[in-house]
Amino acid sequence: MQIYVDADACPVKAEVVRVATRHELPVHMVSNSWMRIETNPLVKLVVVQEGPDAADDWIAERIGPSDIAVTADILLAARCLKAGAQCIGPTGKTFSDANIGMAVAMREMQRHLRETGESRGFNPSFTPRDRSQFLQALENAVQATKRKG
């Protein structure tokens, strides 16, 4: 079991490291540019080439059924689910086969509304409650994967 983090704009990197350390799980922080991360032998910073979706491609090519992805990117979440992995957004929302289709459709609708000027693309701020929900969701995902063996 490994954790893959779409790290460029991820607000919960420290929380991922905390849970991974408790369970002794390797973490891949995947980014398009170098970033300072906590020094931890379980955590590896992966800097991919510049380009659209390079970090997403790196994660999607390596993630497997016993792994966990952390991303806010709906399309990456869909690719990870297709590979059999669990996927969690930074607010603690878990993506599943049951809800990913609706999430992709909503993403497309929001994109269309932004392009037509009907929406400015407001994103709510990240809250302490979001952080807490993420920690609980990640812990649940790790425990569920351990139970599966």
Side-chain angles (χ1 to χ4, degrees):
M1 179 185 342
Q2 300 181 73
I3 301 174
Y4 292 84
V5 181
D6 186 5
D8 281 316
C10 181
V12 290
K13 290 186 279 291
E15 288 76 8
V16 170
V17 172
R18 193 163 93 198
V19 172
T21 300
R22 180 171 46 244
H23 294 283
E24 299 181 351
L25 300 174
V27 176
H28 304 278
M29 297 280 182
V30 186
S31 174
N32 287 352
S33 60
W34 186 88
M35 64 178 56
R36 182 179 302 277
I37 58 171
E38 181 179 327
T39 303
N40 184 316
L42 293 170
V43 180
K44 178 182 177 187
L45 175 63
V46 178
V47 179
V48 296
Q49 296 293 324
E50 290 290 324
D53 301 325
D56 296 359
D57 292 342
W58 192 94
I59 292 170
E61 290 166 4
R62 288 162 179 81
I63 200 160
S66 64
D67 298 328
I68 300 168
V70 176
T71 184
D73 185 316
I74 304 293
L75 298 180
L76 174 57
R79 292 171 73 186
C80 292
L81 289 172
K82 188 173 182 178
Q86 294 186 71
C87 194
I88 306 167
T91 61
K93 177 182 176 146
T94 56
F95 296 102
S96 68
D97 291 333
N99 70 13
I100 196 67
M102 180 62 76
V104 170
M106 290 299 293
R107 177 189 178 278
E108 289 304 310
M109 184 181 77
Q110 289 295 335
R111 182 186 59 79
H112 175 73
L113 291 174
R114 283 191 306 275
E115 287 174 355
T116 60
E118 297 293 321
S119 171
R120 290 195 170 103
F122 169 76
N123 288 325
S125 58
F126 189 75
T127 68
R129 183 167 189 255
D130 293 331
R131 192 174 308 280
S132 176
Q133 288 176 328
F134 172 79
L135 276 167
Q136 187 62 52
L138 183 57
E139 182 67 31
N140 290 345
V142 169
Q143 293 295 337
T145 302
K146 284 184 171 185
R147 280 192 299 275
K148 282 190 229 175

